[in-house]
Amino acid sequence: MTKACLPVSILVLSSVFSSCSDFLDILPMNDVVLENYWTKKEDVTSVLNSCYEALGSSDCVTRMGIWGELRSENLRMGVNTPKDIEEIVKETLLPSNNMCNWASFYKVINRCNIVCHYAPEVQANDPNYSESEMKSNIAEAVALRSLCYFYLIRTFRDVPFTREASIDDTQNYILPATKFDDVLTNIINDLEEVKNDAVRRYDVDQYIDATMSRYPRNSSRITRWAINAMLADMYLWKGEWNKAIDCCDAVLKYKKEQYDEYITREGASKNIALFGDSIPLILEKREGSDVWGNAYNEIFGRGNSFESLFELYFDNQQNKWISEYYSRNNELQVGNLKPYDELRSTVFDKSPILYGNTDCRAYENIMTNSDYSSVAVMKYVAYDVRFKAKGVTNESNLNLQVTTSGISYKNWIIYRLTDVILMKAEALLERSNSDWQDAFNLIDVVSRRANDIAGNAASGVLVFGDYNSSLRAMEDLVLDERHREFMFEGKRWYDLVRQARRDGNNDRLIQNVSRKYIENKNAMKIKLTNPDIIYFPYFKNELKVNPELKQNPAFGNEEDSELTR
Amino acid sequence: MKQLRIFILTFLNLLVCQSGLAQQSGDIISGTVTDDFGPVMMANVVELDAANRIVASAVTDMSGNFSFKLKNPKDKIRISFVGYKTVTLPINKTKYVVKMQDATQIKEVTVVSKRRAQGSGLAIPMDEISTARQSIDMSEFEGLALTTVDEALQGRIAGLDIVANSGNLGAGTSMRLRGVSSINGSSEPLIVVDGNVWETNTNDFDFSSANEEKFAQLLNVNPDDIESISVLKDAAATAIWGSQGSNGVIEIKTKRGSRGKTRVTYSFRLTGTYQPEGYKMLNGDEYTMLLKEEYYNPSQKESDIPELKYDPTFSEYEMYNNNTDWLKEVKQIGWRQNHYIALSGGGEKANFRIGAGYDHETGSIIKQQLDRFSSRVNLDYFVSDRIKIETNIALTYTRNQKNNGDLLAISYTRMPNLSIYEQDAQGNDLSEYYNMLPTVSGELSDQLSNKNPIALAYQAKNLETSYNIEPEFKLRYNLLGLDEEKTRLNYEGKVVFNIFNKYEDQYMPLSLTTKGWNDTDGREANRTTAYSQKSLGVTTTHTLTFTPAFRNKDHVLTMMLRGQLTSGTNSDQRTIVWGLPSGSIQSTAASGIIDRENGISTGSGQWRSIYFTYSAHYAYKGRYMADFSVRRDGSTKFGGDQRWGNFPAFSVRWNVHKEPWFQKILPWVSMLSIRPGWGIVGKQPGSEGLYYSKYSAGSGYLRESSIAPSNIRLQNLKWEQKETYNLGTDFGFLDDRITGNVELYWQYTTDLLMANRGLPSSSGYSSLSWQNVGSMKNIGWEFNLNGNRIVKIGKFSFDFNVTFANNKNQITEMDETCLANLNSEFNYQNGSYLTRVELNRALGSIYGFRYKGVYQYSDYSPEEVPGVSGPNAPVVRDENGVVVLDENGLTKPVKFAVDRNNYEFRGGDAIYEDINHDGQINELDIVYLGSSLPKFTGGFGFKLNFGRISWNNQFNFRYGNKIINAARMNAENMYSNNNQSRAVNWRWRVEGDVTEIPRALRQVGFNWLGSDRFVEDGSFIRLNYSQISYSLDPKIIKKWGLTQLSVYVSANNLFCITKYSGADPEVGYGSFGIVTDNAKTPRSKSFTGGITIQF
């Protein structure tokens, strides 16, 4: 009986602990788990929103700015410049520099991959989620993912490429870098595949008058036109001119339609006019007004303008890139960075280095005091700019009035209409010298708007005859116009790198960039001749955990290089 | 077997009326009780069932008569009265006449009882234990001025390294038993009080960086309540605690009541504490001179800072012309009172013990105050011989008024030429505290954050209040035999609740913030924080113990089966409001501005666990013992297949001294045993929900909500396993007057759990939250020796104890990428050391430069030209020390990291050894500087008794560990505006100075790179306490109605012999075993007087 006793007791005990495994399942209290997710349409759109959210994070936007702008001649060290930034500006970039950390972009990529992975499953189960909705959501995710890869390859050249969603620890996360061209081909193919699934317009009504409320979804979410703009850019990097032109044309055609639609509905606009017969652009000076700065105020001051194709929306989240690096607390003071002064101080000279004195962008982009001792970035920082652009001969008769908006909630623009115009021009002039006139006309459109020369009658600032002598001159023209137009928009360094890839050497890049150097100019020039140096090094910590990655040879392996010395 | 049948029958009898016997239930039993003098009034008459449970009772009346209704004719009747022998009779009639007899002297009885292990496992006789454990009886500490248990244990347990976290009130200690066997997660041993674990939510709790208060749970046990402490060291010993006890277990048993007269004990202690002398800091005059040099040296330009110039026309002149000793201002003598009262006693049916303590303590730093009330009520109720009910309720209330900021740290850095108070034009103190103005010279703006420590102490608030209530209900049921002759099966069921509430209130007044009302970045003005946290844990435990009785008494077998189920929840919330209208309002309910970033936050969590334990002990003739146990742990932290872990342990013991042949050969050896053991324990990660892919809400986009996956779910995660081999031996000589043991152990940890394992960020995540990454090895030995009345001459006797231990730790296997990820990069900056985790190396290795003194001259000349140049100058030398010349025959300057900074060393700069003779100082010159892990730890003590006086001394020591003295580094770097130690008065000032202290250079140069200059030997021997106690002769005090009266005086932490230059060489472990002294409040020194009265 004693012997029987124990098993009986065990039985009693085990009944107490029955269903142990259920007991040990603790669901997180603040989160949803995968097992309970991906059941309905909203689940997809919520994660899709998180892709945009991650792309708009200050980690991402700061890097878009730094990667695309910092090594160009536009920027110099400002006040309290962080060490990492100083390294980049001084071209003493090291793999330990935190700005080489690409984690924030891959975060977006992974979220996009997750949307693409689960959206079809949700569509199969949720009757409210139509196939076309699903396809347009996937198009958005693919577009954001491709955009991220596009940023990465332009910055690092070869990067790990995956379309696989990271879900559990059984997957292999140690990926070698995929070649620049392969990544580019892949993302172009991806975009071509989803291009026609993307939404054309989210909100039907869009007012073109500055005083009316806006519909930010049309330009702050991915549309078919945003994808076309991305594709145009990618084709330019790939050297497929015809396809680039097609993509640009699609956007330009749509914009013209949109403009016509407004005109039919609301009558003539005082805000927007057609340039070069068919390209609607916002006027620097509204019709009937006598202050300039309107285009800036529309595009950058308020954001989500008619010209915008894709911009990241900042609602109540501070845009730290603007308010810390370009300015100090969004006052018009020198931030962590400041412009290369001569871009602005030569405006009233006989031969200005970039902007002439009729170019509104000079006054809109860079702030200065009268003796040019304090020059600060104004683009994005200012909320509202008013000045007189006719007959100005010095700083004082400019009558510049600037309003800033306290904390910067400025949207960050990735593609806008003038970019498409200039991309088309670039593709045209590269395609054949018979297209140079067309290319010139497009460049002239952008220039005319900025110099407030409406209509076709008056002669523009640019003269075709000055440039049609060589391809190089044409290329320089479009580079300069892009420089003028997109200053501080995270484009200049990429423009120079693209040109360097096309040239097969860094000469033009060095020539442009070295203008800003004050000391060690020659040492810098020599350093920059290394063909690999125009790309950033892989981040040290990434190399530590990913043995498959091989460091950019220009930055070498620190230890090795020192051991051999 | 027979008992079981009786039990079952009795049980049935309660339900069913039985007939066929002479008496039936319901019958009236009556009778008379008399003695020699006639009827006995108020005698107790009870009916007892088979288990001696009272089922009916009656009391005799004036005529000695009683009557009651019979419950069961099989029961017995028992009659008792004070002073008479108790009479027990079978129930075979309805009328009794009982004559009571005087209780006479009984014959002398010798009770043989073996000392048994007082733990939560099997109660095994001490000399049969085959695992590594060491116990200390609290009577050894009676009358010591200890506030916590860990103080008592320090230096007493071989292999248990205890280091005080800080000398602040309420700060705990950090403990390592047998070294560090894990990279992340807790390395602290499990603390078990009366078989209960302090259940709290440790989810995502980072133990390595946990601040002091978080781990001070031992503080909740009053040392006066403790009866004994056992430390379980090897896997075989801790096996029944499974994964909870993977770092070792400290079992505490509290005192319980015992049968007898109610006794009252009161004890009182008064302790005075003071801070040990730290670094001597510069006074105001020396400081301003230093700063002027600091500003002059890099630029060769006079600085123009009015605060340093003693210019009477400067508006704040009076506030900056002082010699304030901030350290003196914040230190004080702290007083601690401990009152403790305990009532204990019991009768036939119940025992009780009620203990209550009240501590009031003021710190050795101003405005620190701690009040603690602790009470513990233990109640045992014997329902019958078979059933016992225990209720224990412990309550601790702590109110800790802390400083809002580290006053000591501020005092070390704050400018000494500043005044404490505002001063008038004549330099007289006014009533307002002086805070630096925000308009201070830009160069000194970093000093704005060093708030006036006196004002901080008096005007800011940081209050922490906590309640810990732990009720426990326990039922014991002896199912079979009641004594050792019979087969026994005992059941014990237990429910324990852990209720813990904590409140924190902080307040920072506007007057202390230097930025004013509209500082929307700092948001500090009149800022108040309210935080509350509550948790409730419930633990249910069922234990069955089975001890069969063998006919052959040579065999002893006992076994236990236990199941436990734990669940709990916790929640917390925090509110931060700033810009309150007035300093007199400090509630978050007042209308202020809710902090925009973390103004309101809440959190919640829950935890659960299940385990089963089986353990068995077998002994043959008391000579050969074997123990086996297995634990099955269920964890919420793993998913699927990995959820359950099985952890076995096996150990044997051979009591050599009990062999008949042995006693003939070595009669003076009273004990000798050998104990080999083996076991595996597991460890779980510190976070919940790892096997889920979690989706968390984000901030949204375009005003639409967003949700994103926040982790990679872990499907491969496994238990970390620690396999231990232990070889122990116990010995005793001369009738156990000298006893001791030696333990050797080998611990192999596999599947090491690592938190935040780096992952290529191309996955979208920077890390896996946990991964099994490698293996680690710990080898060590421990030695423990006790002498009990080793010398005895008349009234004089002498006791001693010695322990020491050694542990060697090594990483034996780890993935390359994982190692790389752990290892830091040289950041080319002053003050940082490289930490590296390397294969086949111990954790805790420190790497840095070798410091070789100070360059005497800037310019080199083979012979010294006094005041101009000399051989000790920064020029490149080759392996043989010969100066290297360039093609022009000129010397080459030594540079710092040519690629990076290209700094050229000058006279007065620190000399670092150019290990590879490449003419520059860079990361290739970094070498191994030592390990933070001690070679030996331990302690020793002795006790001299002379009659009723005893003198007790206890020391503890650590040997061979290195400490990064960051405190000294910051006090000697002459790099910032912070005040520096007096040592910098010996700094290099002009060419030709011979000194060990480099020149002052503000924000320039590399004079304080991580080098062996600041890595110091942390070996020490500390006199933990020295105490003289005297207890009065019981014969004398009996006249006063007392049973015990003892008085004592003691000195704690009286001296510490060490080469370490900091205030206290006892510094807690940091991450990866590196020990850095960041000038925490050192453990204070104290003197105590106390008295204990019992009646």
Side-chain angles (χ1 to χ4, degrees), chain A residues 350-405:
Chain A
K350 282 236 164 61
S351 53
I353 68 169
L354 191 65
Y355 293 114
N357 65 358
T358 56
D359 198 326
C360 293
R361 294 171 299 198
Y363 315 119
E364 291 160 352
N365 293 352
I366 307 173
M367 177 77 187
T368 180
N369 57 356
S370 55
D371 64 352
Y372 305 106
S373 61
S374 171
V375 178
V377 176
M378 187 147 91
K379 189 180 256 182
Y380 281 116
V381 180
Y383 174 75
D384 189 272
V385 182
R386 285 151 199 266
F387 57 91
K388 177 172 168 267
K390 276 270 146 61
V392 257
T393 51
N394 58 45
E395 295 294 336
S396 54
N397 59 18
L398 193 59
N399 276 331
L400 185 69
Q401 288 173 299
V402 184
T403 322
T404 57
S405 62

Side-chain angles (χ1 to χ4, degrees), chain B residues 507-529:
Chain B
Y507 178 70
M508 182 64 76
L510 170 70
S511 57
L512 272 163
T513 63
T514 41
K515 289 186 177 160
W517 281 111
N518 49 6
D519 168 28
T520 48
D521 285 332
R523 304 180 297 275
E524 278 212 329
N526 281 350
R527 178 186 175 100
T528 184
T529 304

Side-chain angles (χ1 to χ4, degrees), chain B residues 793-797 944-951 1029-1030:
Chain B
I793 308 160
K795 283 181 159 180
F796 176 79
S797 65
L944 300 170
N945 300 303
F946 184 78
R948 313 201 137 268
I949 300 180
S950 68
W951 183 34
S1029 62
Y1030 176 67

Side-chain angles (χ1 to χ4, degrees), chain A residues 23-40:
Chain A
F23 177 79
L24 290 175
D25 273 322
I26 292 187
L27 284 174
M29 291 179 117
N30 307 323
D31 303 310
V32 192
V33 299
L34 174 65
E35 287 78 358
N36 301 335
Y37 202 75
W38 299 115
T39 54
K40 51 191 191 300

Side-chain angles (χ1 to χ4, degrees), chain A residues 1-3 5-6 9-10 13-14 16-17 19-35 37-38 43 45-53 56 83 87 92 94 96 101-104 106-111 114 118 149 160 162 164-171 173-175 216-217 219-221 304 310-318 329 407 540-547 558-559 561-563 565, chain B residues 1 4-5 8 479-480 487 489 491 521 540 542 544 546 559 561-567 569-570 596 602-612 634-638 643-644 688-689 691-717 757-766 768 770-771 816-818 820-825 828-829 899-901 920 922-924:
Chain A
M1 196 157 173
T2 309
K3 278 169 195 157
C5 193
L6 201 64
S9 313
I10 293 169
L13 267 178
S14 14
V16 173
F17 299 116
S19 67
C20 292
S21 277
D22 291 351
F23 177 79
L24 290 175
D25 273 322
I26 292 187
L27 284 174
M29 291 179 117
N30 307 323
D31 303 310
V32 192
V33 299
L34 174 65
E35 287 78 358
Y37 202 75
W38 299 115
D43 293 346
T45 50
S46 289
V47 178
L48 188 58
N49 284 338
S50 82
C51 302
Y52 287 102
E53 179 198 318
K83 192 133 183 61
E87 274 185 6
T92 53
L94 283 167
S96 53
N101 185 353
W102 59 33
S104 47
Y106 276 104
K107 192 174 185 176
V108 185
I109 290 170
N110 182 49
R111 288 180 181 183
I114 282 176
Y118 286 108
Y149 277 123
T162 179
E164 194 115 319
S166 303
I167 297 165
D168 58 43
D169 60 349
T170 56
Q171 291 163 261
Y173 295 114
I174 296 176
L175 302 173
R217 292 211 293 169
S219 49
S220 283
R221 297 198 82 100
N304 296 112
F310 183 54
E311 62 189 66
L312 288 167
Y313 188 75
F314 284 76
D315 185 9
N316 44 17
Q317 184 199 348
Q318 192 177 355
N329 305 322
I407 297 167
K540 189 103 197 182
N541 289 356
E542 189 75 7
L543 288 169
K544 279 182 179 178
V545 288
N546 189 347
E558 266 188 321
E559 278 95 300
S561 61
E562 267 159 34
L563 279 170
R565 189 171 40 240
Chain B
M1 199 165 143
L4 186 71
R5 193 159 59 218
I8 291 171
L479 292 160
L480 297 176
T487 294
L489 177 65
Y491 164 78
D521 285 332
T540 326
H542 299 272
L544 274 177
F546 178 63
M559 54 181 82
L561 181 70
R562 174 178 290 165
Q564 191 181 72
L565 197 141
T566 308
S567 76
T569 55
N570 73 324
R596 70 161 185 271
T602 57
S604 60
Q606 55 179 329
W607 68 93
R608 286 172 187 171
S609 72
I610 294 181
Y611 76 74
F612 299 98
S635 168
T636 54
K637 292 168 182 157
F638 302 101
R643 174 155 282 173
W644 292 89
E688 295 284 356
Y691 55 94
Y692 288 117
S693 177
K694 285 176 275 193
Y695 283 68
S696 329
S699 55
Y701 186 73
L702 274 171
R703 304 198 174 176
E704 289 176 29
S705 68
S706 73
I707 290 177
S710 55
N711 67 324
I712 290 184
R713 70 173 171 204
L714 306 179
Q715 295 193 319
N716 282 341
L717 196 68
R757 160 77 155 99
L759 201 65
S761 58
S762 49
S763 63
Y765 301 93
S766 58
L768 284 178
W770 289 88
Q771 199 180 29
E816 200 60 41
T817 60
C818 183
N821 193 36
L822 283 175
N823 291 333
S824 59
E825 292 292 323
Y828 298 89
Q829 278 169 27
D899 272 3
R900 300 289 304 246
N901 299 72
Q920 57 165 325
N922 61 10
E923 71 266 33
L924 298 177

